[in-house]
Amino acid sequence: MKKFIVENDMAITALLMIGTGILSILPPNIIPQTSWLDIPWADKAGHFSMYALLGFFWNVVLRHSKNSHFKAIFFVVAFGILMELIQFQFISGRYFEIFDIIANITGCIFGTTIYVVVFSQYN
C-alpha cells in the first residue's frame, strides 16, 4: 500500500484537490439532498474527512522537503480558507462558515498526524 501511495502521490493529491475544489464551489441547488445531510454537523464531518485526506497526501508529496509538515498544513489550510472565501464572494447560496474552517484545520492536522504515525516507521 505504501508503495502505491508513494508512486502515485501527485496524481492522488491532484484528484483530491480538484474534487474538493469542485465540491466547494458547487451551487447548493446542484448538490443532491440526502437523508444523511440532515444529521447535525454531517457537513463538518465531510470537511474533516476531505481535509484529513488532503493533509495526509500533501505530506506524502512534500516528504523530502524541509519543514514538510508545516508546509503541508499551511497549504491545505490556505486552500480551505480560499474555498470559503470563493463561496462567500462568488457562489449564490453558499456561505463563509468558520466551523467549516475549523473542521478543515482539524482534519488537516489529523491527516498529518496519521502520516507521521504510518510513515515514521519507514524513515
Side-chain angles (χ1 to χ4, degrees), residues 23-68:
L23 289 172
S24 295
I25 63 171
L26 282 176
N29 59 341
I30 293 178
I31 301 169
Q33 296 300 312
T34 59
S35 60
W36 70 269
L37 286 174
D38 295 334
I39 298 170
W41 300 94
D43 68 317
K44 304 311 176 245
H47 278 264
F48 179 90
S49 301
M50 288 303 295
Y51 282 82
L53 287 170
L54 285 172
F56 179 87
F57 280 101
W58 271 109
N59 274 282
V60 174
V61 168
L62 298 171
R63 68 189 172 280
H64 298 301
S65 173
K66 185 177 181 183
N67 300 319
S68 61

Side-chain angles (χ1 to χ4, degrees), residues 82-92 94-96:
L82 177 66
M83 290 295 103
E84 288 296 314
L85 290 171
I86 289 171
Q87 287 177 1
F88 177 70
Q89 289 293 322
F90 302 109
I91 311 299
S92 179
R94 299 293 296 261
Y95 305 99
F96 182 94

Side-chain angles (χ1 to χ4, degrees), residues 5-18 57 61:
I5 289 172
V6 170
E7 288 179 355
N8 298 293
D9 59 353
M10 286 300 290
I12 294 168
T13 305
L15 287 173
L16 284 170
M17 292 292 290
I18 292 166
F57 280 101
V61 168

Side-chain angles (χ1 to χ4, degrees), residues 95-113:
Y95 305 99
F96 182 94
E97 293 187 43
I98 194 69
F99 289 114
D100 286 352
I101 293 173
I102 292 169
N104 298 349
I105 292 169
T106 55
C108 179
I109 292 170
F110 181 77
T112 298
T113 303

